[in-house]
Structures are given as C-alpha cells and as structure tokens.
Amino acid sequence: MTEIRWDVAPGDRPAIPASEQKVSSGFLVYSIGLLLAVILTVTSFWVASTSAIWAPGVPAGLAVLAIAQMGVHLVFFLHITTGPDSTHNVLALAFGVLIVFLVLAGSLVIMANLNENMMSHGEMMDLQMQH
C-alpha cells in the first residue's frame, strides 16, 4: 500500500510517482495560486481606495498585502519551498534580494550625499548674478 504524505508544500515533488499522479494536480496548484493572487490584488486596490480603513494604516495594510502577494508567487509559481530540492533556488533568490538591497542602499547613499553637497537654489542665483 502506498503511504500518502499530506505535509507536502505546493511546490514540492509529490510522493506519488509521476505515472500514478493525475495531470490536473499541477493545474490545481496554479489555479489556487492565481485565485489567491487575484484576491490579494483586488484587496490591495480596495485598501488603497476605501475610507473604511484609518488613513495612516493604509500603507501598513498595503505592505502586508504586498508581502503576502510575494509569498503566494514564491510558493505557487516559482515553487520555492523548504524542500531539499529547492536549495539552489533559495540561494539564487537570496542573492537577487542582496543585489537589489545593495543597489537601493547605494542609490540612497549617493542621493543623500548629492543633496548634502549641492548648492541651494538661492546660492546658485547669487553666483549667476555676480557674473
């Protein structure tokens, strides 16, 4: 008798051999992911346009929904799971996040430095008037 594992994440390889697995199981995973993504997207638009939520809480609500949306995409579409087969995918994702963080942080440092060292508009006008 085949032992069925119920603790398999959506992106993990199934315990059932490919010959016994139904064709529709992959379609079901993608359909669930699509449904969750659409629900989160519609909810985000609702949060941004409603007055039912306290106005200063709207950015926090949108941030939570965005993180949930990223989680849905990682699990259901990119198949990033905790399984041993996805170690390389997790490392590639971590490297990509590191690169994005470095680019954003570097850009912010450069812009802050430029803002600190640039002349104000009034000083520039005074220099133009002197010449």
Side-chain angles (χ1 to χ4, degrees):
M1 183 151 248
T2 305
E3 182 180 325
I4 298 175
R5 287 183 48 206
W6 297 104
D7 61 340
V8 178
D12 279 349
R13 293 180 190 223
I16 303 170
S19 60
E20 296 176 21
Q21 188 181 10
K22 293 183 182 176
V23 178
S24 63
S25 67
F27 179 74
L28 180 65
V29 169
Y30 286 113
S31 298
I32 292 171
L34 177 65
L35 181 67
L36 289 173
V38 167
I39 289 171
L40 288 168
T41 302
V42 169
T43 307
S44 297
F45 277 104
W46 178 81
V47 166
S49 64
T50 188
S51 62
I53 298 176
W54 183 50
V58 169
L62 289 175
V64 167
L65 289 169
I67 291 169
Q69 184 84 271
M70 286 188 281
V72 166
H73 285 278
L74 289 174
V75 171
F76 287 97
F77 301 123
L78 297 176
H79 305 294
I80 304 290
T81 62
T82 57
D85 291 341
S86 76
T87 304
H88 296 296
N89 292 338
V90 171
L91 288 175
L93 178 68
F95 182 70
V97 168
L98 174 70
I99 296 299
V100 168
F101 173 76
L102 288 175
V103 167
L104 288 175
S107 298
L108 290 174
V109 168
I110 289 169
M111 288 189 288
N113 189 18
L114 286 174
N115 187 37
E116 185 178 323
N117 293 325
M118 283 185 67
M119 285 189 221
S120 66
H121 183 67
E123 291 176 6
M124 283 180 46
M125 294 303 286
D126 289 342
L127 282 177
Q128 287 180 352
M129 298 245 185
Q130 289 175 1
H131 292 300

